[in-house]
């Protein structure tokens, strides 16, 4: 009865196929051009088809280098997200996959760079061999061009005894090619998930080698090692006739010596726009870094979570957005993303931070979270804030029904959402497309409920007062407890309130049965578009994505689940 249809993923496939299609088109079109182009006929005599392999991969490398910076231009993406006329529905959700597209393009760069390097290794060997005594005929004649005045060379390797590696490293193309390769290897190897988890700082610092990559790429082509026949020479020297009369080039008027030149460099034309765009992005970030951030309140929760209340001039946010924070006292270069837990209606913005690495642990220590008494606001280290930026959760209000699922500290994005719901319900004149919210929170430790229970209790009370008790259905699941906690729960059982949270809704013990949950939601809303929003580990994300596919109807008039995952 239920199909496997989900528009969200289909558009992802369209995006990937479009990217692959453009790459294949550029590669095949360029390859065929260099295989047939008359001005490179003599170059092909020496290099063969590896000329086309090198040039086609170079063009695809330029194309992907043009794209690589766009997905990480956060201000541009936030602007596009805010332009609802230009970016609606499923296409809007693709903006949340900006980092995945960034990685995909990076793989494209790596593949094309590898093809380009390997092809040029073969080219270099063929240039070298064509200067040997074994080379004869047209091949030998072409390699000897440039030895006499008024001749331009075709073969950059001038003598056979030349050490090609040493000679290559004396050229602009050789030096910049080596720099591009080393920069790419450093960036790719330090971007693996293992490195990011073990040392985020290493990932952060080595990623900035991209500056070397782009500078080297822009000037790489100025070496003009690969050369072709000039247009003036082609008009005087008929390749079809003269290639068989190479012995008469010096004497025959109809076959003058062919003249060669390097192709005009074009890589800078591909990357100039995105580089300027990204430079503007960094200027905006630097300007925001200079703006003062006032810390108004610091709260240390018993669950090891630090809550910071801040103010900043001109700061405007929407539920579900995130900011980038920097603490110069810890690191002057590192920026880390944190979801906002305050509502737009509040006169401050807040984040909840849990120690999950070296930087966050150092931040909690700097703010005295481990000490018995917190530091006074004026004695706290300075913070810089960049943002806010849009995220998937900002689309919650665009669906008639939304399912919000959090695991552990992943609940923080939903704090702002629930607060915003509380305020919107308090404003009687605010029309809402959203008519039903299902909220699931899976947590291992009971202490993690402490800072969030007050918000749920307040929201529960407000909904009850306004007769909207069915607007929000929340389900809290505790996945870890010991014998003492079980005894405490049994002794203090209350029919009206939950022992752990103090809420009317009872806490469930164990993990949710997602088949049952999705089946019930689909039954309750048979013809609705349902947004599913998740923040948590990858394993659970895959399960939820599979549930969305399975319980979405094949009938366009049926229920459809649209999966959205928080990512930074």
């Amino acid at each position: 009865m239920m199909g496997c249809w989900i528009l969200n993923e289909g558009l992802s496939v369209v995006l990937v196929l479009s990217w692959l299609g453009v790459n294949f088109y550029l590669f095949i079109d360029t390859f065929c051009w260099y295989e047939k182009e008359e001005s490179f006929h003599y170059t092909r005599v020496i290099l063969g088809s590896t000329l086309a392999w090198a040039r086609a991969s170079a063009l695809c490398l330029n194309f992907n280098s043009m794209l690589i910076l766009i997905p990480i231009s956060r201000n541009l993406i936030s602007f596009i997200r805010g332009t609802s006329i230009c970016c609606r529905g499923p296409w809007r959700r693709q903006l949340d996959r900006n980092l995945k597209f960034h990685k995909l393009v990076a793989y494209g760069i790596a593949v094309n760079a590898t093809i380009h390097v390997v092809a040029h290794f073969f080219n270099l060997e063929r240039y070298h061999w064509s200067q040997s005594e074994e080379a004869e005929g047209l091949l030998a004649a072409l390699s000897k061009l440039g030895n006499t005045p008024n001749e331009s060379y075709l073969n950059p390797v001038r003598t056979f005894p030349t050490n090609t590696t040493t000679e290559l490293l004396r050229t602009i193309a050789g030096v910049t090619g080596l720099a591009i390769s080393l920069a790419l290897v450093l960036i790719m190897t330090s971007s693996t998930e293992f490195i990011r988890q073990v040392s985020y700082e290493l990932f952060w610092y080595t990623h900035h080698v991209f500056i070397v990559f782009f500078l080297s790429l822009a000037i790489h082509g100025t070496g003009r090692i690969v050369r072709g026949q000039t247009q003036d020479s082609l008009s005087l020297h008929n390749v079809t006739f003269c290639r068989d009369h190479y012995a008469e080039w010096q004497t025959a008027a109809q076959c003058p010596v062919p003249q060669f030149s390097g192709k005009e460099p074009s890589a800078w034309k591909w990357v100039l726009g995105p580089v300027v765009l990204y430079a503007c992005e960094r200027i905006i970030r630097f300007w925001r870094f200079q703006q003062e951030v006032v810390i108004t309140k610091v709260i240390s929760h018993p669950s090891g979570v630090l809550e910071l209340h801040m103010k900043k001039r001109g700061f405007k946010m929407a539920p579900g957005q995130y900011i980038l924070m920097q603490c110069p006292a810890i690191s002057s270069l590192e920026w880390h993303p944190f979801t906002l837990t305050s509502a737009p209606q509040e006169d401050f913005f807040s984040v909840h931070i849990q120690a999950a690495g070296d930087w966050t642990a150092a931040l909690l220590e700097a703010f005295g979270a481990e000490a018995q008494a917190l530091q006074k606001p004026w004695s706290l280290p300075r913070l810089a804030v960049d943002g806010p930026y849009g995220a998937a959760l900002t689309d919650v209000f665009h669906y008639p029904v939304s399912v919000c699922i959090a695991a552990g500290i992943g609940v923080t994005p939903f704090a702002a959402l629930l607060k915003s719901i509380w305020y919107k319900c308090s404003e009687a004149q605010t029309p809402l497309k959203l008519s039903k919210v299902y909220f699931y929170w899976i947590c291992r430790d009971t202490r993690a409920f402490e800072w969030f229970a007050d918000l749920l209790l307040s929201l529960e009370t407000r909904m009850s007062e306004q007769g909207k008790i069915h607007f929000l259905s929340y389900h809290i699941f505790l996945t870890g407890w010991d014998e003492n906690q079980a005894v405490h729960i049994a002794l203090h059982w209350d029919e009206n309130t939950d022992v752990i949270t103090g809420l009317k809704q009872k806490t469930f013990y164990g993990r949710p049965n997602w088949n049952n949950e999705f089946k019930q939601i689909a039954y309750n809303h048979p013809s609705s578009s349902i947004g599913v929003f998740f923040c948590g580990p990858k394993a659970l994300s895959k399960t939820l994505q599979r549930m969305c596919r399975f319980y979405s109807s094949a009938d366009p008039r049926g229920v459809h689940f649209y999966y959205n995952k928080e990512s930074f």
Side-chain angles (χ1 to χ4, degrees):
M1 184 177 68
M2 295 297 179
C4 296
W5 181 90
I6 180 168
L7 187 59
N8 179 2
E9 285 200 342
L11 282 172
S12 258
V13 172
V14 169
L15 181 64
V16 172
L17 290 179
S18 299
W19 173 78
L20 284 173
V22 173
N23 273 278
F24 278 120
Y25 169 77
L26 290 174
F27 191 95
I28 294 170
D29 183 65
T30 307
F31 188 94
C32 293
W33 191 85
Y34 275 95
E35 282 286 276
K36 297 177 181 178
E37 172 58 28
E38 192 177 37
S39 62
F40 286 94
H41 175 82
Y42 288 136
T43 313
R44 290 194 297 273
V45 171
I46 299 177
L47 302 180
S49 62
T50 53
L51 166 67
W53 281 97
R55 301 311 303 165
S57 57
L59 188 69
C60 290
L61 177 62
N62 292 340
F63 169 68
N64 286 285
S65 297
M66 176 187 72
L67 295 179
I68 192 74
L69 292 176
I70 296 174
I72 55 173
S73 298
R74 293 188 179 93
N75 288 289
L76 174 65
I77 292 173
S78 292
F79 173 77
I80 296 173
R81 175 182 282 279
T83 311
S84 57
I85 296 175
C86 303
C87 189
R88 290 180 181 270
W91 288 109
R92 182 183 174 94
R93 287 194 295 277
Q94 296 309 305
L95 296 175
D96 303 322
R97 289 163 175 76
N98 61 318
L99 292 182
K100 289 185 178 180
F101 186 67
H102 174 73
K103 293 175 184 177
L104 181 66
V105 173
Y107 289 132
I109 290 176
V111 169
N112 285 291
T114 302
I115 295 172
H116 187 72
V117 169
V118 171
H120 271 317
F121 270 120
F122 280 102
N123 289 338
L124 199 61
E125 285 303 311
R126 292 188 179 190
Y127 275 137
H128 185 242
W129 183 83
S130 65
Q131 290 287 12
S132 68
E133 294 180 356
E134 298 176 13
E136 56 185 19
L138 178 60
L139 179 64
L142 290 170
S143 293
K144 288 181 173 57
L145 289 175
N147 290 338
T148 59
N150 300 321
E151 288 183 356
S152 58
Y153 69 89
L154 176 61
N155 189 341
V157 178
R158 303 308 304 146
T159 60
F160 183 71
T162 302
N163 185 314
T164 54
T165 304
T166 304
E167 192 67 23
L168 181 65
L169 293 178
R170 289 176 180 172
T171 65
I172 294 175
V175 173
T176 54
L178 180 63
I180 291 169
S181 301
L182 291 177
L184 191 58
V185 168
L186 275 174
I187 292 171
M188 295 293 289
T189 54
S190 64
S191 299
T192 60
E193 188 173 355
F194 174 77
I195 295 294
R196 292 202 312 270
Q197 290 179 351
V198 172
S199 177
Y200 185 85
E201 291 78 7
L202 179 63
F203 159 75
W204 178 263
Y205 292 131
T206 53
H207 232 62
H208 283 75
V209 181
F210 83 92
I211 299 171
V212 175
F213 175 87
F214 277 99
L215 284 175
S216 300
L217 183 67
I219 61 177
H220 180 64
T222 58
R224 303 189 184 191
I225 286 184
V226 177
R227 297 162 71 83
Q229 196 172 352
T230 64
Q231 291 300 314
D232 291 340
S233 177
L234 280 172
S235 63
L236 301 173
H237 180 103
N238 188 313
V239 173
T240 306
F241 173 79
C242 295
R243 65 187 177 187
D244 298 323
H245 299 81
Y246 58 87
E248 304 170 11
W249 284 356
Q250 301 286 351
T251 56
Q254 65 269 34
C255 288
V257 176
Q259 299 297 316
F260 301 94
S261 65
K263 196 173 185 298
E264 191 75 22
S266 61
W268 67 271
K269 299 176 184 177
W270 287 87
V271 300
L272 179 62
V275 166
V276 170
L277 178 69
Y278 190 72
C280 294
E281 172 88 9
R282 297 308 290 257
I283 291 170
I284 293 172
R285 291 188 196 179
F286 180 76
W287 173 68
R288 287 176 174 168
F289 168 77
Q290 299 296 327
Q291 292 180 312
E292 183 184 8
V293 176
V294 179
I295 302 169
T296 58
K297 184 184 288 187
V298 179
I299 304 170
S300 180
H301 295 281
S303 52
V305 174
L306 179 69
E307 181 178 356
L308 298 178
H309 290 200
M310 295 166 282
K311 288 185 178 183
K312 184 179 178 181
R313 181 177 294 179
F315 189 90
K316 295 180 181 179
M317 60 163 288
Q321 289 188 314
Y322 69 96
I323 58 172
L324 293 170
M325 278 178 47
Q326 185 199 77
C327 183
I330 299 174
S331 172
S332 58
L333 294 177
E334 290 184 52
W335 292 83
H336 292 261
F338 295 97
T339 47
L340 293 163
T341 54
S342 52
Q345 294 85 349
E346 294 175 305
D347 63 351
F348 63 89
F349 62 95
S350 65
V351 293
H352 286 69
I353 303 168
Q354 189 176 51
D358 296 340
W359 191 90
T360 48
L363 186 71
L364 264 65
E365 183 180 352
F367 278 82
E370 303 297 329
Q372 292 184 350
L374 291 171
Q375 297 184 34
K376 300 298 182 182
W378 55 84
S379 63
L380 295 172
R382 176 178 177 265
L383 290 179
V385 170
D386 182 22
Y389 296 109
L393 197 59
T394 57
D395 294 336
V396 165
F397 292 101
H398 296 166
Y399 295 92
V401 180
S402 288
V403 181
C404 302
I405 304 168
I409 196 63
V411 76
T412 52
F414 300 104
L417 168 69
L418 294 177
K419 285 182 182 179
S420 186
I421 290 174
W422 188 92
Y423 281 106
K424 286 180 183 292
C425 288
S426 300
E427 300 168 1
Q429 297 180 349
T430 304
L432 281 178
K433 181 180 180 180
L434 182 65
S435 60
K436 181 67 177 180
V437 176
Y438 294 91
F439 176 63
Y440 294 85
W441 187 15
I442 303 100
C443 199
R444 184 179 301 171
D445 189 357
T446 55
R447 294 181 303 167
F449 294 122
E450 295 165 359
W451 72 272
F452 202 67
D454 289 341
L455 173 60
L456 288 176
L457 182 60
S458 176
L459 189 61
E460 187 179 64
T461 304
R462 172 63 65 175
M463 294 298 176
S464 178
E465 289 174 352
Q466 299 209 350
K468 298 180 179 180
I469 194 167
H470 299 295
F471 180 85
L472 173 67
S473 295
Y474 59 89
H475 310 270
I476 301 175
F477 290 83
L478 180 63
T479 59
W481 67 89
D482 55 30
E483 185 178 346
N484 292 332
Q485 289 172 332
V487 172
H488 174 78
I489 292 168
L491 291 175
H492 296 83
W493 178 260
D494 190 329
E495 290 290 339
N496 298 320
T497 59
D498 184 70
V499 177
I500 296 177
T501 63
L503 300 169
K504 292 180 181 180
Q505 175 67 51
K506 300 296 184 181
T507 298
F508 297 92
Y509 300 95
R511 299 183 184 278
N513 184 323
W514 293 115
N515 275 300
N516 291 343
E517 299 295 336
F518 273 81
K519 186 185 296 183
Q520 186 61 48
I521 294 171
Y523 177 79
N524 293 342
H525 310 278
S527 302
S528 297
S529 296
I530 302 173
V532 178
F533 299 85
F534 173 68
C535 187
K538 288 183 179 179
L540 181 53
S541 176
K542 291 179 181 178
T543 300
L544 295 173
Q545 201 164 358
R546 190 169 61 251
M547 291 293 105
C548 287
R549 288 198 303 266
F550 185 76
Y551 286 101
S552 290
S553 173
D555 185 352
R557 296 168 297 179
V559 63
H560 297 100
F561 291 90
Y562 298 91
Y563 184 71
N564 302 267
K565 184 182 184 299
E566 287 289 300
S567 57
F568 312 106

